[in-house]
C-alpha cells in the first residue's frame, strides 16, 4: 500500500464508514493516520469531556459532522444534579474560531443555550442538520435563530428535549426562500404553534420526508398538511382528537389514503382511540411504529391497529398492550427486530405485562435483536426460553418495576435466567439487569458476555466479587453504570488500568469510599474521577476519615483534556 | 469497614438512618445475605391478603425510589398529563373539592378516598339495594345530565361518563335505596 498516492488511499478510506473501522485504519501507520485524519468527515465523541474541541478541529481538518454526548446516562433518570455540565457552547465557539466547515451537529444529553444556537446559526454557512436528543437549556428563541439564519437547513430533529416555550413564532422565522427542509421534528414542544406558518412551510418544502408534529397541531391542519405532503416517509401525528362523524374526519381519511409512502408512524400525543381505523390503510406499509406516547390507545383499538402491521421491524409501545396484545404482535409482526415496552403508569408501579408476553414475542419474532421491556415480573424459565428462541440479541434490557423482585414462581434469584441470555446471545453488546440477583449472575456475565460493551446494574449483587467478575471477564466493556449495589473499594481498585480501556464508570449508592476514589485518581492520572457531593454530604478532609466517608455518586472517565474547568461547586475532581 | 461500624455504634446512627423500608423492618437486615443497600423489603408469602393490600397501598403512597423505574422525565411527564379532575360536592359541606379520577383503579379506592375526604361512611354497595347502612350515598352526574348511583356500571364506563360527583345525604338519599 506504500506505493499508492495519497488520493488513492483517501478514496479507499471513503468506503470505510464506521467510526470503529476508521479508528483502526488510523492506527496502522503514520501515513494512514494522516490521510484518515484529514479525510474523515464524520466524527463521534462519546464523552464531550474526553477531549477538547480545538484538538478535534486540528486533527480532523475536513470535519463536517460531529456527534457529542454529554451527561452520564443515569442523568436521564434524575440521578445527576442540574448544572453538572455538558455545555455545547465551547464546542461551537471553538469550531467557529477554527473555521470548521460544520454541516451537521448531533447532541445527546447536553446543555444547549440559546446563545449557542444563535452562534451556531451565524457561524456555519453550510450548516444543514441539527439533531438534539434529551437536551435542555434552550427556548424557542434559539430555534427561531436556527430557522432564520441556517439558509441550507435540511434537518431539524428535536427528540425528547426540555424546551422552554416562548411562543409559536419560531416557525415563521423560516424565510420564504427556504425550501430545503427534508426532516422536521418538533413533537416535544409544549406550546402553541403558528399553524398557517407551518402549512406554508410544508407547502414550499417538496423534499420533506419526515415530519413529526406536536400536540398543538389539530386535526384539520394535519389533514391539509398530508394533502400537501403525500411524499412523506415518516409521520408523527400530534393531536388526534375529533368527532368521527365530522366532515373533517372524512377529509382526513382521504388524505391518509394518499400517503402511500409512509413507513414510520408515531405520536398520537392526544388521542380519541376509536378513530384509529383511518390509519389502518397505511399500517401494512409500516416498518416502524411508535405509540409509546399514546396512553389513550389501548385494548381493542390497539390490537385492531397492530393486526394490520405485518411488515413492522420496530415497535415502541406502552405496557397497556398486555400479554395478550403481545401475543397478537408475535403472530402478526414476523419481521420484528426491535421492541420496546414502556410502563404506562410509572408512579403506581403496576405494569400490565409479565414474562408471558416476552416469551410469546420470542416465539413469534425470530428476527428480534433488540429489546427494552418494563414488566411486572419475570421468571428464570421464561428467560431461558427466550434465550433459546432468540439467540440474536444485540441489546437486551429488562426492567422489573420492583427492582429486587425474585423469580415470580420459584422465588429464586434471576441469575440463571440472565445467565442463559448471555450464554446464548454471543453478539450481545448491551445488557441491563433487574430483579433479585446475586454475585452468580456476574460470574456468568464475566464468563460469557464477550462482546458486551455496556452494562447497567441496579440493586444487584452480594459482594465485591460481582463487580470483579465483570471487570475481569468483559474485555470489550466500554460503559459500566451501577447503582445501589454492594460493590466497594476492593472491586473499584482491582484493575485500575482497565478504566482507560473504557469510556466511563458510574457508581452511585454503592460501598466505595472517598479514600478508595482518591487512591484510584492518584494511580490513574489519565482519568477524571469526579465525586458528586450533593447537599454538602461529604468533607474533603483527608487522612483516615476518608475511608469512613462513603461516596454517594462517582463518575469517572478517561480523558485527554485533563480536569474540566466548568465543573460546578458540588463536583470534585480528585 | 470496621472503623465505620464502631463509629456508628457509639452514636446509634442506625436509629436515625434514612431507609426506604417500612418502620420496624430494619431488624430483618441480618437475615439472608449481606445486602445493606437501600432496597425495599418484600412482603413474605405468609403475609395475609389484607396486609399485602395495605403494603401495596403504602407502596404507592410513599416516596418512590429516586430514578426508578428508569425512564426519562420527558416520558414520565407526558404520561402524567392525563388527568381527570371532577368536582365533588357533599350536601351540607361549605365548599366543594376536586379529585383526579385517574388516580384510582376502581370503586373501592374511590369510595375510600371520598370517605376520608368528607369524613363519612358510604355503607355497603349491592346492585339490588344500592348503598346499605349509611345515610350518605355517592352519586354522579353523567354525560346526559342524569344523576346516577356510583358503582352500577363498569369502572371504565364510569370514568368516561362521569362529569361530577355528589354525596347525597338524608331524605333525598332514601330514594336511592340506602335502607336507613
Amino acid at each position: 500500500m506504500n506505493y499508492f498516492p495519497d488520493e488513492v488511499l483517501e478514496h479507499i478510506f471513503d468506503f470505510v464508514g464506521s467510526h470503529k473501522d476508521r479508528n483502526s485504519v488510523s492506527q496502522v501507520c503514520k501515513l494512514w493516520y494522516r490521510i484518515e485524519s484529514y479525510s474523515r468527515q464524520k466524527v463521534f465523541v462519546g464523552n464531550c469531556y474526553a477531549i477538547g474541541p480545538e484538538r478535534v478541529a486540528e486533527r480532523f481538518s475536513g470535519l463536517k459532522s460531529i456527534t457529542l454526548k454529554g451527561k452520564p446516562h443515569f442523568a436521564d433518570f434524575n440521578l445527576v444534579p442540574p448544572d453538572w455540565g455538558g455545555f455545547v457552547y465551547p464546542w461551537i465557539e471553538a469550531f467557529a474560531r477554527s473555521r470548521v466547515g460544520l454541516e451537521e451537529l448531533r447532541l445527546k444529553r447536553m446543555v444547549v443555550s440559546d446563545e449557542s444556537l444563535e452562534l451556531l446559526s451565524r457561524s456555519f454557512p453550510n450548516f444543514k442538520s441539527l439533531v438534539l436528543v434529551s437536551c435542555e437549556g434552550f427556548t424557542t428563541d434559539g430555534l427561531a435563530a436556527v430557522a432564520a439564519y441556517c439558509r441550507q437547513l435540511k434537518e431539524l430533529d428535536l427528540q425528547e428535549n426540555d424546551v422552554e416555550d416562548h411562543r409559536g413564532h419560531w416557525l415563521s422565522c423560516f424565510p420564504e426562500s427556504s425550501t430545503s427542509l427534508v426532516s422536521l421534528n418538533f413533537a416535544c414542544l409544549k406550546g402553541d404553534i403558528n399553524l398557517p406558518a407551518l402549512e406554508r412551510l410544508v407547502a414550499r418544502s417538496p423534499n420533506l420526508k419526515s415530519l413529526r408534529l406536536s400536540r398543538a397541531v389539530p386535526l384539520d391542519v394535519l389533514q391539509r398538511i398530508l394533502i400537501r405532503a403525500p411524499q412523506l416517509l415518516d409521520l408523527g401525528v400530534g393531536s388526534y382528537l375529533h368527532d368521527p362523524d365530522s366532515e373533517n374526519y372524512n377529509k382526513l381519511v382521504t388524505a391518509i389514503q394518499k400517503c402511500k409512502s409512509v413507513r414510520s408512524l408515531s405520536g398520537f400525543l392526544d388521542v380519541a382511540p376509536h378513530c384509529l381505523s383511518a390509519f389502518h390503510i397505511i399500517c401494512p406499509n409500516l416498518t416502524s411504529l411508535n405509540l409509546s406516547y399514546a396512553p389513550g390507545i389501548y385494548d381493542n383499538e390497539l390490537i385492531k391497529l397492530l393486526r394490520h402491521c405485518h411488515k413492522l421491524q420496530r415497535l415502541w409501545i406502552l405496557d397497556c398492550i398486555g400479554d395478550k396484545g403481545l401475543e397478537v404482535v408475535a403472530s402478526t409482526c414476523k419481521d420484528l427486530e426491535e421492541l420496546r415496552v414502556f410502563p404506562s403508569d410509572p408512579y403506581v408501579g403496576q405494569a400490565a405485562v409479565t414474562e408471558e408476553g416476552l416469551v410469546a414475542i420470542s416465539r413469534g419474532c425470530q428476527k428480534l435483536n433488540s429489546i427494552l421491556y418494563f414488566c411486572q415480573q419475570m421468571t428464570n424459565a421464561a428467560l431461558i426460553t427466550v434465550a433459546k428462541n432468540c439467540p440474536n440479541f444485540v441489546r437486551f434490557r429488562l426492567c422489573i418495576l420492583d427492582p429486587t423482585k425474585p423469580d415470580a414462581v420459584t422465588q429464586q434469584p434471576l441469575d440463571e435466567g440472565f445467565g442463559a441470555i448471555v450464554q446464548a446471545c454471543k453478539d450481545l453488546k448491551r445488557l441491563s439487569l433487574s430483579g433479585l440477583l446475586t454475585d452468580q449472575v456476574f460470574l456468568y456475565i464475566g464468563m460469557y458476555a464477550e462482546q458486551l460493551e455496556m452494562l447497567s446494574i441496579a440493586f444487584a449483587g452480594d459482594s465485591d466479587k460481582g463487580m470483579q467478575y465483570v471487570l475481569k471477564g468483559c474485555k470489550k466493556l466500554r460503559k459500566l453504570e451501577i447503582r445501589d449495589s454492594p460493590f466497594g473499594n476492593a472491586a473499584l481498585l482491582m484493575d485500575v488500568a482497565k478504566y482507560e480501556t473504557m469510556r466511563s464508570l458510574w457508581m452511585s449508592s454503592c460501598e466505595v469510599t472517598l479514600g478508595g476514589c482518591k487512591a484510584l485518581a492518584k494511580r490513574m492520572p489519565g482519568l477524571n474521577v469526579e465525586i458528586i457531593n450533593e447537599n454538602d454530604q461529604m468533607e474533603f478532609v483527608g487522612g483516615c476519615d476518608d475511608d469512613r466517608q462513603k461516596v454517594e455518586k462517582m463518575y469517572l472517565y478517561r480523558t485527554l483534556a485533563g480536569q474540566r474547568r466548568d465543573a460546578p461547586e458540588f463536583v470534585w475532581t480528585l | 469497614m470496621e472503623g465505620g461500624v464502631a463509629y456508628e455504634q457509639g452514636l446509634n446512627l442506625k436509629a436515625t438512618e434514612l431507609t426506604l423500608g417500612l418502620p420496624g423492618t430494619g431488624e430483618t437486615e441480618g437475615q439472608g445475605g449481606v445486602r445493606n443497600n437501600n432496597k425495599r423489603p418484600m412482603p413474605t408469602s405468609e403475609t395475609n391478603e389484607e396486609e399485602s393490600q395495605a403494603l401495596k397501598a403504602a407502596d404507592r403512597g410513599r416516596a418512590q425510589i429516586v430514578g426508578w423505574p428508569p425512564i426519562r422525565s420527558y416520558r414520565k411527564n407526558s404520561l402524567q398529563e392525563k388527568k381527570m379532575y371532577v368536582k365533588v360536592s357533599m350536601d351540607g359541606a361549605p365548599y366543594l373539592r376536586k379529585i383526579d379520577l385517574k388516580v384510582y383503579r376502581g370503586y373501592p379506592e374511590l369510595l375510600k378516598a371520598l370517605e376520608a375526604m368528607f369524613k363519612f361512611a358510604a355503607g355497603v354497595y349491592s346492585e339490588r339495594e344500592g348503598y346499605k347502612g349509611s345515610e350518605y350515598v355517592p352519586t354522579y352526574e353523567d354525560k346526559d345530565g342524569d344523576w346516577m348511583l356510583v358503582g352500577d356500571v363498569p369502572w371504565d364506563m364510569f370514568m368516561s361518563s362521569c362529569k361530577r360527583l355528589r354525596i347525597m345525604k338524608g331524605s333525598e338519599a332514601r330514594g336511592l335505596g340506602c335502607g336507613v
Side-chain angles (χ1 to χ4, degrees), chain A residues 60 93 144 160 238 252 292 302 305 318 325 414 474 501 534 550 556 558 574:
Chain A
F60 301 109
E93 202 221 0
E160 299 194 343
L252 178 70
S292 64
L302 180 56
L305 190 79
L318 291 172
L414 290 172
C474 300
T501 69
E534 283 172 294
K550 262 197 253 185
L556 65 83
R558 66 180 178 188
L574 301 180

Side-chain angles (χ1 to χ4, degrees), chain A residues 201-217:
Chain A
L201 181 62
V202 172
R204 66 176 187 274
S205 303
N207 300 318
L208 195 65
K209 291 284 189 287
S210 168
L211 181 63
R212 296 189 185 190
L213 308 169
S214 70
R215 265 201 172 88
V217 182

Side-chain angles (χ1 to χ4, degrees), chain A residues 282-300:
Chain A
I282 58 170
C283 285
N285 298 332
L286 293 180
T287 57
S288 169
L289 179 62
N290 181 354
L291 296 177
S292 64
Y293 293 109
I297 306 180
Y298 49 89
D299 290 345
N300 286 332

Side-chain angles (χ1 to χ4, degrees), chain A residues 37-255:
Chain A
S37 294
Y38 71 64
S39 63
R40 193 188 303 203
Q41 294 187 342
K42 283 195 174 165
V43 175
F44 173 84
V45 178
N47 173 8
C48 66
Y49 289 120
I51 191 157
E54 296 83 2
R55 209 159 151 179
V56 173
E58 203 189 348
R59 175 173 168 190
F60 301 109
S61 50
L63 191 157
K64 290 202 170 123
S65 157
I66 187 155
T67 303
L68 290 172
K69 295 190 181 180
K71 301 186 201 181
H73 178 228
F74 278 176
D76 275 345
F77 318 132
N78 297 333
L79 289 180
V80 175
D83 306 329
W84 172 86
F87 307 104
V88 77
Y89 188 87
W91 285 82
I92 297 177
E93 202 221 0
F95 281 5
R97 250 186 295 120
S98 308
R99 301 194 191 285
V100 170
L102 195 65
E103 296 185 13
E104 179 178 85
L105 183 63
R106 310 171 74 93
L107 305 177
K108 190 169 187 181
R109 277 190 292 272
M110 292 198 75
V111 177
V112 181
S113 61
D114 284 344
E115 287 76 36
S116 35
L117 290 177
E118 275 153 33
L119 183 61
L120 174 76
S121 63
R122 291 187 191 274
S123 308
F124 308 106
N126 290 329
F127 192 76
K128 295 190 173 67
S129 168
L130 180 64
V131 180
L132 303 178
V133 179
S134 199
C135 295
E136 51 163 357
F138 61 103
T139 77
T140 45
D141 294 343
L143 297 179
V146 172
Y149 302 118
C150 297
R151 293 302 165 102
Q152 312 235 11
L153 196 69
K154 279 188 171 167
E155 180 177 23
L156 179 60
D157 185 359
L158 308 172
Q159 298 176 31
E160 299 194 343
N161 300 292
D162 187 10
V163 186
E164 203 178 296
D165 215 302
H166 283 178
R167 265 176 20 225
H169 80 288
W170 66 276
L171 262 176
S172 31
C173 292
F174 281 102
E176 289 303 314
S177 55
S178 149
T179 58
S180 49
L181 263 187
V182 174
S183 167
L184 178 62
N185 172 7
F186 59 92
C188 64
L189 296 186
K190 297 168 236 175
D192 285 333
I193 290 289
N194 185 333
L195 298 170
L198 173 64
E199 285 188 60
R200 285 197 302 272
L201 181 62
V202 172
R204 66 176 187 274
S205 303
N207 300 318
L208 195 65
K209 291 284 189 287
S210 168
L211 181 63
R212 296 189 185 190
L213 308 169
S214 70
R215 265 201 172 88
V217 182
L219 208 68
D220 55 323
V221 176
L222 171 67
Q223 178 260 321
R224 285 198 290 276
I225 285 176
L226 290 180
I227 295 285
R228 299 270 203 192
Q231 78 282 3
L232 281 178
L233 296 178
D234 170 18
L235 172 64
V237 174
S239 172
Y240 198 70
L241 293 170
H242 51 67
D243 176 1
D245 297 323
S246 70
E247 196 192 314
N248 264 340
Y249 177 69
N250 294 331
K251 280 197 205 160
L252 178 70
V253 173
T254 316

